Amino acid sequence: MQNRSNYLFRVERILGVLVLWFLIPAVSLAQDHSGKGAVTGVVKDEKGNPMAWANVVVKGTAHGEITDNSGAYRIEKIPVGERVLRITLIGYESREVRITVREGQTATIPEVMLREQTEQLEGVTLEGDKTNRFANKKTEYVARMPLHNLENPQVYSIVGKDLIQEQIITDINETMRNVPGVVPLSYPSGGFAATFRGFTVGVNARNGMESLSSRSSLDIANVERIEVLKGPSGTLFGSNISSFGGVINLVTKRPMEAGRTELSYTTGSFNLHRLTADINTPLNEDKTVLFRLNAAVNREKSFQDFGFNNTFLIAPSLTYKASDRLTFNLDAEIYDVNNTRPTYNYYGANSGINGPQDIALGYRKSLFHEEFDAKSKSLKIFAEAKYILSENWTSTTLFSMVEEDLQHSYQGYATWISPTKAVRRMGNFGPINTYHTNIQENINGTFNTGKIRHKVLIGANYKWYNQNAVYTMSDDIDTVDVTTDFAALRKGGLAGVNINPRKFDNPNEYVLSGYVTDVVEFTDRFSTMLSLRVDHFKRDKAGAKDSYEQTSVAPKLGLVYQVVKDQVSVFGNYMSGFQNQEPRNQPDGSSLVLDPLYAVQYEGGIKAETFDNELSATVSYYNITIDDAIRTGSDGFITQDGKQVSKGVDVDIVANPVSGLNIVAGYAFNDNKIVRTSDPDIEGNKAVSSPEHVANFWASYTFQNHWRGLGIGVGGNYVSDNYRFSDNVFTIPSYTVLNATVFYNQPKWRVGLKLNNLTDEKYWSVWEMRQQPFNFAANLTLRF
């Protein structure tokens, strides 16, 4: 009866917040600010270092604050009387401090020390703990400054390693399915991308810096969390990191002071064998030099009759605390991939095929043998120097170098002339060597002008990019009837076939950028964000490509009002994104110089983090417009006169309604249309790879008493129909995929079983790549 009462009480609290949203204006106007006081203090670690991002809350009230870079906080307008401050930070033991608040006075609290947790790995929380484990949205990367979710006018979602572990995820695709509106996509070339808000973007940011994963994809063994920023984000991140839909930023694991080790083995369907290691240790007694090593070995066959995916990752990282003010971080990733690429399909004009389900090829059959493989290596090196200039100002200098070497990549092509017959061709890309170097400087600070507080970012970035590439493409090899007992094409089948060598003509590219942001806090509830970025793009002359330069400007404006302090905020934003465009050659031999391609977004919505963060929710409406979209006419001439409008709704909910129950849910509606174009036949059509409806859901429950640590989970994804081509004929059908898990988690070990695609649904990605049928994965994790 008591449990039922608790459950009803929590349900009433959740329903209460919905009512509160309608009563907010009246509540805000009716608030009495008399009989209030303030409290100020500093939070530090055991060595006396300031602790930024600690959460300081006055229990039993809606008042709280996040500590700044100096560990300081100030909370105002607290009701007078005896109060309790609760101070928390992930990876540290929470503290509570009793205070007395007096009217019109500011209570100064002695330094509060947080001790690092030693009984469990950083971020490893027993599923039975009463906490909203998947709702942490603290990040320094989204705004490039410490800014709480409720203070940020931009919409973003975060998938942390706890959720990744609970779902026994082994690849980036399944991770991204936990983000509202996101549909993952693996390119036939080997890279990874995701589609959301009507546009496609790769994982092009790593710890806020521009990165690269175009032909070797990436491994999630070194992932702390994945941040998905919604909307054009060119202002802070530039055109090469973001698309008009947003940015995907991968945050890696960092060294910690406690010595800890985690070993994990996963096995499952299609001969899956995956071994990961996470080893962390301080290298000296003072714990000023910290080292962490993450590694992963993955072996897996395809669900089709031919195909495999073998990868190896090693990722060392080092932190050196040179002084109380200066800290260095250095990390690297070495990633080797040997796998097969999915087939890329073309369709004849009279093929009679209007969707992938019309093809007569068996779902588990392949047209090409796994002899046609791909091999790539990538090296990523990142360095950071963070220096506390003063109590309110910090300098962060960053460097990144990415080198991706593709030895070879065989790519099979099938041109379907009917539902039963396909013409096979083979391409071989490589060697392709890609080099990418970035240097970045960010200055963060706070200051006051009268009673108005400013949080400022001033930054600059320089990027150099180069790629050397060759590839070959065969003539038509043969025509196969897939209703017969045909054989998968092998390398011997290329004998006597004409092979055409080709070369990419890629000159050096340089981008010099400057950006500034000022978050102006007029009151403790109302703030505005003003941002501006200037990019100067330059490309050298190479072969037939002329040199050219181009400058782009991207502004950003955001407004936030916390109608319930530290619990509910309403927001609006104007955001700009851009893509530099190189000159294009026309069929008559002339060159067309294109303007930068700009997208503008208007968005408004509401964010909530209520009931001690047991409910975290965001609801927003957006409108993204591209006025000078680039289109190619039927005569081959390029014009820049198109207009595209993508608008829709995003809903993101992460909840912990009762102890042990955690829910992650999202829904996105997107209407992405070609409003104007140089081709009247497609004017008014839906844009490609833009499903209207995307939904995700995951719920897990962990037993609280005798079987503490034992849990179950269930969830799935829905993606509606979408079009492969702009004529809106070839349709990728909708799908619903259901998954389930059972696990038993203890501080020293964890076991889990995951069942994926329970209904054995046949479904395709937005680029019509076949997805896995029913499969399972079993995991054992040991912690020392």
Side-chain angles (χ1 to χ4, degrees), residues 76-103:
E76 298 180 340
K77 298 180 181 179
I78 307 172
V80 299
E82 299 296 322
R83 301 292 174 184
V84 176
L85 289 184
R86 188 168 189 266
I87 305 169
T88 59
L89 182 64
I90 292 177
Y92 291 81
E93 297 177 358
S94 63
R95 289 284 307 277
E96 290 190 354
V97 179
R98 293 190 176 275
I99 61 172
T100 300
V101 181
R102 294 183 172 86
E103 184 175 355

Side-chain angles (χ1 to χ4, degrees), residues 733-750:
S734 64
Y735 63 83
T736 302
V737 176
L738 301 176
N739 310 309
T741 187
V742 59
F743 53 84
Y744 193 31
N745 189 39
Q746 295 297 303
K748 298 296 184 181
W749 54 272
R750 186 186 194 279

Side-chain angles (χ1 to χ4, degrees), residues 528-734:
T528 181
M529 173 185 284
L530 303 171
S531 300
L532 183 69
R533 182 188 185 99
V534 179
D535 265 24
H536 181 70
F537 182 88
K538 179 182 178 182
R539 189 193 70 184
D540 290 341
K541 177 178 173 59
K545 289 187 176 181
D546 294 329
S547 63
Y548 80 101
E549 300 182 39
Q550 201 168 63
T551 300
S552 303
V553 178
K556 177 180 178 180
L557 169 65
L559 298 172
V560 175
Y561 178 67
Q562 296 187 43
V563 287
V564 179
K565 184 73 168 70
D566 299 322
Q567 293 193 65
V568 180
S569 66
V570 292
F571 68 92
N573 66 59
Y574 164 88
M575 298 172 61
S576 174
F578 62 91
Q579 294 175 358
N580 288 301
Q581 302 293 322
E582 63 182 33
R584 309 290 178 85
N585 293 324
Q586 299 283 42
D588 61 1
S590 63
S591 179
L592 175 65
V593 178
L594 298 169
D595 294 328
L597 191 61
Y598 287 95
V600 172
Q601 172 183 279
Y602 295 92
E603 182 176 19
I606 185 169
K607 295 183 179 182
E609 292 185 356
T610 60
F611 310 135
D612 294 330
N613 206 31
E614 290 175 358
L615 174 64
S616 175
T618 302
V619 179
S620 69
Y621 170 81
Y622 63 87
N623 183 299
I624 304 172
T625 302
I626 306 173
D627 283 324
D628 294 314
I630 300 168
R631 298 292 174 183
T632 303
S634 58
D635 56 1
F637 279 83
I638 298 171
T639 56
Q640 190 174 21
D641 64 350
K643 182 176 182 178
Q644 184 176 343
V645 176
S646 179
K647 55 187 177 182
V649 176
D650 272 346
V651 180
D652 187 358
I653 298 174
V654 184
N656 174 218
V658 297
S659 297
L661 177 61
N662 287 274
I663 298 172
V664 176
Y667 168 74
F669 169 77
N670 175 255
D671 180 21
N672 189 6
K673 287 185 177 180
I674 304 169
V675 177
R676 185 184 68 244
T677 175
S678 55
D679 184 356
D681 292 336
I682 64 173
E683 190 166 291
N685 284 4
K686 291 280 190 179
V688 302
S689 305
S690 299
E692 277 195 350
H693 305 279
V694 177
N696 64 285
F697 177 80
W698 180 259
S700 63
Y701 179 75
T702 304
F703 293 89
Q704 299 296 291
N705 299 311
H706 182 68
W707 292 102
R708 182 177 174 84
L710 176 65
I712 56 174
V714 63
N717 297 85
Y718 171 77
V719 178
S720 66
D721 293 351
N722 62 98
Y723 298 110
R724 181 74 181 91
F725 308 108
S726 57
D727 60 7
N728 287 186
V729 175
F730 192 97
T731 305
I732 308 296
S734 64

Side-chain angles (χ1 to χ4, degrees), residues 47 125 341 385 403 491 524 545 575 605 633 682:
K47 295 181 179 179
T125 306
R341 310 300 201 199
E403 178 180 338
K491 287 185 176 180
D524 62 344
K545 289 187 176 181
M575 298 172 61
I682 64 173

Side-chain angles (χ1 to χ4, degrees), residues 431-452:
I432 299 177
N433 306 112
T434 305
Y435 306 94
H436 194 291
T437 302
N438 258 280
I439 301 174
Q440 188 176 110
E441 172 65 25
N442 293 315
I443 302 292
N444 288 95
T446 60
F447 66 92
N448 293 338
T449 54
K451 294 183 179 181
I452 298 175

